[in-house]
């Protein structure tokens, strides 16, 4: 005998990223609670929207599994008298475990001397409905929210106020209380399209019942709807929606009933760089950008409403007005920024603090830029001497300008456009294509497996920027611990490793002509000059070597190398030798590393 | 709908639901949250439901009257509901219907927004409410103010008057808004925007403003020590505005900025604590007499460990009688 279980937590709008997080956490937690409770089942699944999280357990057993276990009691010397009959202590132990004192056993216990009394305890499983109320309340309380809140007079916390709870085992309500609420069978339909209580008869009818009330409760089904809406608008306009999976992921969790609409903006805004328009639409408004047949940005956008309205044109017009104001702002910044040469914006960085702990002589962003220039120039010289082709003049000019856009208005408004705007401004001001590209590329790679710099000058600058950050921070004792990494040091180290291991289209410039990690660290230490003392340098170097070693082992393990092989390949000596040793290739040749490795080529991506 | 009718409509809507319609505070503030009716009333166990329009100054956002959307000062319509009612979202949506924004015709959504005011030592969770992609309201469940945990929780609804009016009137430039049948927003507000942009960005006497900040701060401390919460808090509001003005003038460096914010927060925290202690002494008069005495006794029993502990104990003592305590919804 078994039945399906449904738990639905109805909530005021949950932030999109938290919906995703909770839906990932819930099945495992529910399964763990059921296992703890000795309740067998045929699988756990989740459904959810910003207004509800639902867990369904299929084929949940009607009774808890009986428990049979041996309980160890007092030593035999205490449990039994000289006559072999149980003592008072022995009888007490037996009774506590529901066993006839005559049935107590004796045996040795590992790690202890002598014999001990043991009881064979039998616990008959309870009926599932008696166990579920406490279990479900603990599931509701057990969801871990990065930020949670209280409401009204209550002191229970949740991500936003809970409005209702549906709990059904088969067709029966599982009654339990949470905060001021009591579970029942009444859910709610769509906030605007079906704003009434909705009776749910069982788990099996849940999805359909909600569908009838304008709620697509399955996120995957909602994703299909979103994709369908995007395709519909593509057909209607003859344009293409710019692919953006991350935005689809977010939009899926922004409403219960997505409906796409298309809006437009004035063509004159297209004089602003594409990245600015796309970012303004995406980050502030969650709009999808559209492109024409040639792949060029079209003056149109797609947004997904969370409801059905009387006249979609009204909503489109409203969105257009908002976007026009945002684009006007962006264009204003873009125009203002260009009234000054990029270098002049860069001069403002003298008063911006990069890292206060580095001390007066080294803490400003202006100082950082000078150091990065020195390191990058040294890298360029090394590459040249080793027979590679790295234009030192380009590196130097790009280094001087690489952070300048941080002071511009548009990057102040859209921080994610750092580098890209520097590139546009440098290009428009005649700094040369090599310099412009290196400015943008010095922020690459942005993460594991993402695009690497396409030019050797960009790669040199990317290494120099990260080396400077790491050497300085580690020297003054700023080291990432656990998951905390406020200064992005883990990402910086990973960026260096990825460039050293994966970068280098063999033809143009073999990565082997780069300095090895030890030489790179020395260059960065040198650039700090007297700002770091000997003790800081030595300490920093030691901590950094250990850190790089650990990160590199993780990186290789992530890519399929067995952990023990990664440890064997990446030692405290070899880590300082990359990339000359092309450690990665050695790793592939090493024992156990062969088959699953995806290889350098597959991981190399260049911006198009 | 004229801008003034929008305010009338919101006032009467919330008055009908049990809010006191107050008037704006006569001291410069950056947001309705600074109004004593919000910042102080959210503290402690007493209920409070109020609505009012507030003139808010944001010196750094001034654009000499040349930007169609950005203003150095604007109007908020502020609603505080304490305790936050269970149906507060529904009430809010009804208020939108009242001003012509019907969810049957518009795409209304609640978009994540974590609110924090470092100067007030306050934070809360909630949303920015979007109407057809435009933010029209900040909706916040206050969790802490002046460093004190809030129980019961207040729901704060802050409507952006100009934005909503621009949308309702179909106007692209804020200065073209019709205030009433004959007068535009520009006719009333534009000269002020032009002059105050000049004042804040060019003419503000920074040494004078720094002196004021210091004086307000010492005066705040002195007044609080004498048990004068409202005058003390007024000094806190004034110093906060002095800071905003100096910030807009570019007179405060990045490192100094944190220090000034910390000083305002220090004042706000002291005001909050003095306020709760004073209300306890008065027997939390907005609670019915017996409940007030219950809360006061609980406060007195716990306040040894600090005002925060006292405030929580006072609220817990009366939470069981929540239904008898005035609430909206």
């Amino acid at each position: 005998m078994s039945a399906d279980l449904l738990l639905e937590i109805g909530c005021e709008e949950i932030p999109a990223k938290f919906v995703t997080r909770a839906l990932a956490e819930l099945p495992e937690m529910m399964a763990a609670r059921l296992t703890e409770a000795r309740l067998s089942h045929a699988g756990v699944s989740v459904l959810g929207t910003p207004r509800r999280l639902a867990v369904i357990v299929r084929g949940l057993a009607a009774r808890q599994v009986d428990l049979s276990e041996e309980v160890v009691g007092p030593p035999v010397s205490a449990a039994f008298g000289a006559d072999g009959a149980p003592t008072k202590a022995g009888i007490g132990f037996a009774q506590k475990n529901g066993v006839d004192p005559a049935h107590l056993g004796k045996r040795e216990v590992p790690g202890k001397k002598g014999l001990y009394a043991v009881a064979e305890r039998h616990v008959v499983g309870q009926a599932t409905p008696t166990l579920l109320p406490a279990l479900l309340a603990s599931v509701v309380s057990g969801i871990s929210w990065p930020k949670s809140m209280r409401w009204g007079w209550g002191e229970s916390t949740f991500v936003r106020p809970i409005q209702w709870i549906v709990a059904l085992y088969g067709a029966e309500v599982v009654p339990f209380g949470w905060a001021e609420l009591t579970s029942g069978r009444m859910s709610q339909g769509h906030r605007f399209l079906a704003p009434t209580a909705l009776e749910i008869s069982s788990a099996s009818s849940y999805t359909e019942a909600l569908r009838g009330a304008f709620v697509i409760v399955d996120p995957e089904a909602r994703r299909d709807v979103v994709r369908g809406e995007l395709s519909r608008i593509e057909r209607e306009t003859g344009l293409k929606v710019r692919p953006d999976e991350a935005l689809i992921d977010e939009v899926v969790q922004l409403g219960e009933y997505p409906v796409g609409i298309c809006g437009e903006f004035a063509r004159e805004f297209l004089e602003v760089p594409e990245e600015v328009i796309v970012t303004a639409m995406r980050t502030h408004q969650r709009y999808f950008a559209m492109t024409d047949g040639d792949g060029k940005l079209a003056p149109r956008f797609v947004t997904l409403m969370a409801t059905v309205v009387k006249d979609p044109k009204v909503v489109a017009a409203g969105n257009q007005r908002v976007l026009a104001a945002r684009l006007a702002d962006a264009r204003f910044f873009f125009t203002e920024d260009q009234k000054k040469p990029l270098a002049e914006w860069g001069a403002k960085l003298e008063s911006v603090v990069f890292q206060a702990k580095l001390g007066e002589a080294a803490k400003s962003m202006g100082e950082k830029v000078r150091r990065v220039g020195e390191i990058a120039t040294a890298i360029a010289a090394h590459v040249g001497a080793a027979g590679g082709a790295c234009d030192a003049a380009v590196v130097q000019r790009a280094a001087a300008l690489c952070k300048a856009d941080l002071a511009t208005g548009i990057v102040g408004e859209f921080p994610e456009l750092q580098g890209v705007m520097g590139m546009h401004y440098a290009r428009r001001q005649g700094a040369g294509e090599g310099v412009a590209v290196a400015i943008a590329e010095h922020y690459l790679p942005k993460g594991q497996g993402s695009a690497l710099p396409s030019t050797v000058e960009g790669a040199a600058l990317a290494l120099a920027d990260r080396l400077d950050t790491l050497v300085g921070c580690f020297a003054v004792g700023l080291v990432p611990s656990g998951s905390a990494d406020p200064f992005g040091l883990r990402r910086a180290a990973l960026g260096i490793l990825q460039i050293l291991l994966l970068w280098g289209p063999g033809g143009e410039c073999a990565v082997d002509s780069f300095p090895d990690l030890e030489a790179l660290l020395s260059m960065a230490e040198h650039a700090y000059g007297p700002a770091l003392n000997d003790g800081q340098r030595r300490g920093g170097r030691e901590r950094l070597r250990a850190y790089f070693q650990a990160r590199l082992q993780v990186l290789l393990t992530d890519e399929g190398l067995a952990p023990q092989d990664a440890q064997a390949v990446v030692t405290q000596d070899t880590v300082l030798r990359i990339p000359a040793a092309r450690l990665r290739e050695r790793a592939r040749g090493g024992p156990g590393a062969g088959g699953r490795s995806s290889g350098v080529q597959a991981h190399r991506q260049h911006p198009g | 709908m004229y801008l003034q009718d929008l305010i009338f409509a919101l006032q009467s809507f919330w008055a009908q639901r049990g809010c006191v319609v107050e008037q704006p505070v006569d001291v410069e503030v950056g947001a309705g949250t600074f109004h004593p009716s919000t910042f102080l009333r959210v503290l402690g166990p007493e209920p409070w439901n109020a609505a009012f329009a507030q003139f808010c100054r944001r010196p750094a956002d001034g654009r000499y009257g040349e930007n169609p959307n950005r203003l150095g000062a604007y109007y908020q319509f502020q609603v505080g509901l304490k305790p936050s009612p269970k149906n507060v979202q529904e009430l809010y949506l009804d208020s939108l219907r009242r001003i012509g924004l019907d969810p049957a015709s518009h795409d209304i959504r609640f978009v994540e927004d974590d609110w924090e005011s470092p100067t007030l030592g306050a934070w809360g969770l909630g949303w920015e409410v979007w109407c057809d992609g435009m933010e029209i309201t900040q909706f916040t469940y206050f969790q802490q103010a002046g460093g004190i945990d809030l129980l019961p929780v207040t729901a704060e609804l802050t409507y952006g008057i100009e934005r909503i009016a621009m949308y309702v009137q179909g106007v692209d430039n804020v200065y073209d808004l019709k205030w009433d049948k004959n007068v535009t927003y520009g006719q009333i507000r534009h000269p002020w925007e032009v002059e105050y942009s000049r004042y804040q960005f060019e003419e503000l006497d920074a040494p004078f403003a720094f002196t004021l900040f210091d004086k307000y701060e010492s005066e705040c401390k002195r007044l609080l020590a004498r048990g004068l919460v409202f005058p003390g808090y007024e000094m806190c509001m004034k110093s906060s505005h002095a800071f905003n003005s100096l910030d807009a003038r570019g007179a405060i460096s990045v490192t100094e900025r944190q220090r000034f914010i910390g000083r305002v927060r220090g004042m706000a925290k002291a005001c909050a604590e003095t306020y709760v202690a004073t209300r306890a002494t008065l027997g939390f008069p907005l609670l019915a007499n017996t409940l007030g005495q219950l809360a006061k006794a609980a406060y007195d029993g716990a306040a040894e460990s600090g005002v925060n502990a006292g405030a929580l104990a006072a609220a817990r003592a009366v939470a069981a009688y929540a239904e008898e305590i005035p609430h909206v919804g």
Side-chain angles (χ1 to χ4, degrees):
Chain A
M1 277 294 286
S2 70
D4 293 346
L5 172 73
L6 167 70
L7 171 67
E8 182 197 53
I9 307 165
C11 192
E12 297 178 14
E13 279 75 355
I14 307 170
K17 56 180 183 284
F18 296 165
V19 176
T20 307
R21 206 185 132 104
L23 292 181
E25 181 183 8
L26 271 168
E28 237 171 80
M29 182 177 36
M30 177 64 97
R33 297 275 201 277
L34 293 172
T35 305
E36 259 168 56
R38 308 198 308 278
L39 290 170
S40 68
H41 59 87
V44 181
S45 58
V46 283
L47 301 165
T49 75
R51 285 187 77 211
R52 63 197 81 225
L53 301 170
V55 196
I56 291 176
V57 182
R58 287 181 307 283
L60 180 62
R63 292 198 78 80
Q64 198 176 27
V65 173
D66 291 351
L67 180 73
S68 213
E69 63 176 3
E70 195 184 60
V71 186
V72 177
V76 164
S77 54
F80 299 95
D83 55 355
T87 59
K88 208 170 163 192
I91 292 167
F93 168 65
Q95 284 172 345
K96 196 177 113 197
N97 288 291
V99 176
D100 182 342
H103 292 155
L104 283 180
K106 302 171 189 176
R107 70 169 178 82
E108 286 180 11
V109 177
K112 290 186 174 178
K113 270 200 249 167
L115 291 172
Y116 282 76
V118 290
E120 194 68 30
R121 188 165 75 107
H122 293 280
V123 181
V124 177
Q126 289 178 270
T128 298
T130 57
L131 298 168
L132 283 178
L135 189 146
L136 294 186
S138 84
V139 168
V140 177
S141 305
I143 304 173
S144 61
W145 303 106
K147 273 186 182 173
S148 56
M149 54 164 282
R150 295 173 284 107
W151 59 94
W153 283 93
E155 296 200 61
S156 304
T157 62
F158 207 71
V159 63
R160 291 292 184 276
I162 298 186
Q163 282 287 341
W164 73 86
I165 297 174
V166 172
L168 296 173
Y169 179 54
E172 298 301 315
V173 169
V174 179
F176 69 95
W178 198 92
E180 76 282 18
L181 296 162
T182 308
S183 61
R185 59 171 73 250
M186 300 311 280
S187 179
Q188 289 277 329
H190 187 279
R191 188 186 277 291
F192 303 127
L193 302 173
T196 46
L198 178 72
E199 184 169 339
I200 306 293
S201 53
S202 71
S204 56
S205 66
Y206 177 67
T207 303
E208 274 316 300
L210 283 176
R211 175 69 84 145
F214 294 92
V215 174
I216 303 167
V217 72
D218 180 352
E220 287 315 309
R222 232 162 35 246
R223 185 181 303 272
D224 291 342
V225 171
V226 168
R227 287 191 200 286
E229 289 293 280
L230 295 179
S231 321
R232 174 176 63 78
I233 289 168
E234 285 183 337
R235 281 196 307 278
E236 288 170 7
T237 57
L239 299 169
K240 286 278 161 213
V241 171
R242 241 174 81 129
D244 193 338
E245 285 304 313
L247 187 56
I248 290 184
D249 286 343
E250 187 180 0
V251 162
V252 162
Q253 305 298 11
L254 285 179
E256 303 203 293
Y257 197 83
V259 180
I261 49 169
C262 182
E264 55 190 36
F265 57 85
R267 193 164 279 278
E268 66 197 55
F269 286 121
L270 290 173
E271 69 202 39
V272 178
E274 252 187 57
E275 294 96 330
V276 177
I277 298 176
V278 173
T279 305
M281 296 203 296
R282 181 183 201 283
T283 55
H284 287 311
Q285 302 295 137
R286 282 88 164 187
Y287 295 162
F288 290 87
M290 301 196 84
T291 51
D292 62 18
D294 304 328
K296 284 198 354 210
L297 199 65
R300 304 290 281 269
F301 65 90
V302 179
T303 183
L304 287 130
M305 300 187 289
T307 185
V308 177
V309 294
K310 283 180 192 152
D311 181 3
K313 285 200 201 75
V314 171
V315 178
N319 279 279
Q320 284 170 192
R321 295 159 59 97
V322 180
L323 182 60
R326 289 212 182 273
L327 292 180
D329 254 9
R331 185 174 53 183
F332 170 78
F333 287 126
F334 183 65
T335 312
E336 288 297 305
D337 286 351
Q338 292 181 87
K339 289 184 177 167
K340 274 196 258 181
L342 193 53
E344 220 170 285
W345 287 109
K348 286 181 178 277
L349 299 176
E350 297 297 338
S351 59
V352 174
V353 176
F354 159 61
Q355 176 50 256
K357 281 206 167 176
L358 291 172
E360 280 310 312
K363 71 176 188 183
S364 79
M365 203 58 156
E367 284 301 322
K368 179 185 176 57
V369 168
R370 269 187 286 283
R371 290 193 303 268
V372 169
E374 190 182 325
I375 303 165
T377 309
I379 295 174
H382 187 284
V383 172
C390 183
D391 190 331
V394 166
V395 168
Q396 243 168 357
R397 277 185 290 142
L401 295 173
C402 70
K403 301 293 180 190
D405 67 354
L406 293 181
T408 62
I410 199 120
V411 175
E413 188 79 359
F414 303 110
E416 61 269 56
L417 289 177
Q418 60 179 14
V420 172
M421 294 319 295
M423 174 185 74
H424 282 296
Y425 294 147
R427 187 179 279 154
R428 284 166 184 247
Q429 292 169 9
E433 190 57 18
V435 171
V437 170
I439 290 172
E441 291 193 337
H442 94 279
Y443 286 110
L444 305 183
K446 288 187 172 161
Q448 200 164 342
S450 65
L452 294 173
S454 68
T455 63
V456 65
E457 291 82 9
L461 206 49
L463 286 173
D465 182 26
R466 292 168 172 83
L467 284 163
D468 176 73
T469 301
L470 286 166
V471 165
C473 288
F474 273 68
V476 297
L478 298 171
V479 180
S481 64
S483 62
D485 184 23
F487 306 110
L489 301 179
R490 181 174 297 122
R491 207 172 34 196
L494 208 60
I496 290 175
L497 292 172
Q498 285 179 94
I499 292 173
L500 291 182
L501 287 175
L502 303 174
W503 193 82
E508 303 163 32
C509 173
V511 72
D512 291 54
S513 60
F514 274 17
D516 65 18
L517 185 58
E518 185 166 34
L520 289 169
L521 293 175
S522 299
M523 290 170 183
E525 286 167 7
H526 185 263
Y528 271 96
L532 297 180
N533 63 37
D534 282 350
Q536 289 174 317
R537 284 157 193 264
R538 267 198 308 278
R541 171 77 69 109
E542 264 322 294
R543 289 189 284 268
L544 254 183
R545 180 168 67 173
Y547 190 69
F548 269 115
Q549 192 183 345
R551 298 320 307 171
L552 184 51
Q553 286 169 352
V554 170
L555 185 74
L556 296 184
T557 312
D558 282 353
E559 291 181 5
L561 200 63
Q564 66 273 23
D565 293 339
Q567 279 168 21
V569 170
V570 187
T571 67
Q572 52 176 343
D573 295 320
T574 59
V575 70
L576 291 176
R577 298 277 80 81
I578 53 167
R582 272 296 187 152
L583 190 99
R584 178 107 172 87
E585 273 138 27
R586 275 218 265 148
R588 271 199 291 172
R596 289 177 54 212
S597 171
S598 47
V600 173
Q601 288 303 325
H603 277 265
R604 188 197 297 146
Q605 287 177 295
H606 292 293
Chain B
M1 184 178 254
Y2 301 125
L3 185 137
Q4 66 185 25
D5 292 330
L6 185 66
I7 296 175
F8 297 156
L10 289 172
Q11 283 181 342
S12 71
F13 176 88
W14 287 107
Q16 284 158 12
R17 273 149 196 85
C19 284
V20 164
V21 173
E22 283 202 76
Q23 299 303 323
V25 65
D26 61 337
V27 175
E28 311 93 313
V29 289
T33 308
F34 275 83
H35 194 302
S37 183
T38 307
F39 179 69
L40 296 177
R41 295 289 190 194
V42 298
L43 301 161
E46 296 168 273
W48 189 247
N49 298 292
F52 51 89
Q54 178 66 50
F55 184 64
C56 303
R57 302 187 190 221
R58 300 275 169 99
D61 291 344
R63 293 290 184 273
Y64 294 86
E66 288 166 13
N67 186 296
N69 297 298
R70 293 198 190 215
L71 298 164
Y74 65 108
Y75 296 91
Q76 289 182 344
F77 192 84
Q78 170 88 354
V79 180
L81 306 174
K82 177 190 181 188
S84 66
K86 184 173 161 73
N87 62 343
V88 55
Q89 282 183 306
E90 291 308 319
L91 288 171
Y92 167 73
L93 290 167
D94 282 343
S95 78
L96 290 189
R97 290 184 181 100
R98 174 72 73 92
I99 56 177
L101 298 177
D102 187 343
S105 302
H106 297 278
D107 181 30
I108 308 283
R109 24 171 127 192
F110 294 87
V111 180
E112 168 185 18
D113 187 38
D114 299 350
W115 175 82
E116 189 182 6
S117 168
T119 45
L120 287 177
W123 70 275
L125 296 184
W127 310 274
E128 43 181 61
V129 182
W130 285 14
C131 173
D132 302 339
M134 179 176 64
E135 182 191 345
I136 53 169
T137 304
Q138 280 198 336
F139 190 134
T140 309
Y141 288 98
F142 270 26
Q143 303 293 302
Q144 220 180 43
I148 292 178
D149 293 319
L150 302 182
L151 186 67
V153 166
T154 296
E156 182 198 59
L157 312 175
T158 304
Y159 300 75
I161 292 290
E162 286 86 348
R163 282 182 178 210
I164 295 175
M166 283 168 77
Y167 197 60
V168 173
Q169 293 185 17
V171 160
D172 284 327
N173 186 326
V174 66
Y175 297 109
D176 294 337
L177 275 176
K178 285 184 172 304
W179 194 289
D180 75 348
K181 188 156 64 79
N182 304 310
V183 180
T184 65
Y185 190 87
Q187 286 169 323
I188 298 179
R189 300 281 321 133
H190 191 265
W192 193 99
E193 282 290 330
V194 175
E195 289 198 8
Y196 264 84
S197 292
R198 272 185 59 198
Y199 167 66
Q200 298 287 356
F201 296 132
E202 301 164 32
E203 296 296 334
L204 180 105
D205 181 351
F208 175 62
F210 277 119
T211 309
L212 283 180
F213 185 98
D214 293 344
K215 292 262 185 222
Y216 290 142
E217 187 186 35
S218 56
E219 196 63 352
C220 174
K221 282 184 191 155
R222 188 179 73 83
L223 294 169
L224 290 181
R226 291 173 175 259
L228 296 173
V229 181
F230 291 100
Y233 179 61
E234 185 165 317
M235 296 301 142
C236 172
M237 286 187 275
K238 283 182 151 316
S239 66
S240 174
H241 177 64
F243 162 72
N244 288 341
S245 293
L246 285 163
D247 204 23
R249 185 84 168 90
I252 296 183
S253 74
V254 179
T255 35
E256 279 177 313
R257 210 168 173 275
Q258 286 313 310
R259 225 163 39 84
F260 273 96
I261 290 173
R263 286 168 73 184
V264 179
R265 184 168 56 241
M267 284 180 253
K269 197 164 178 291
C271 292
E273 291 183 352
T274 312
Y275 175 78
V276 176
T278 308
R279 298 300 289 182
T281 310
L282 298 172
F284 296 114
L286 287 167
L287 287 169
N289 189 34
T290 47
L291 291 183
Q293 291 313 312
L294 210 57
K296 176 177 163 41
Y299 179 89
D300 292 342
E304 209 172 286
S305 330
V307 173
N308 195 46
L312 287 174
R316 284 172 186 143
V318 296
Y321 307 94
E323 277 311 307
E324 297 168 30
I325 298 172
H327 55 275
V328 165

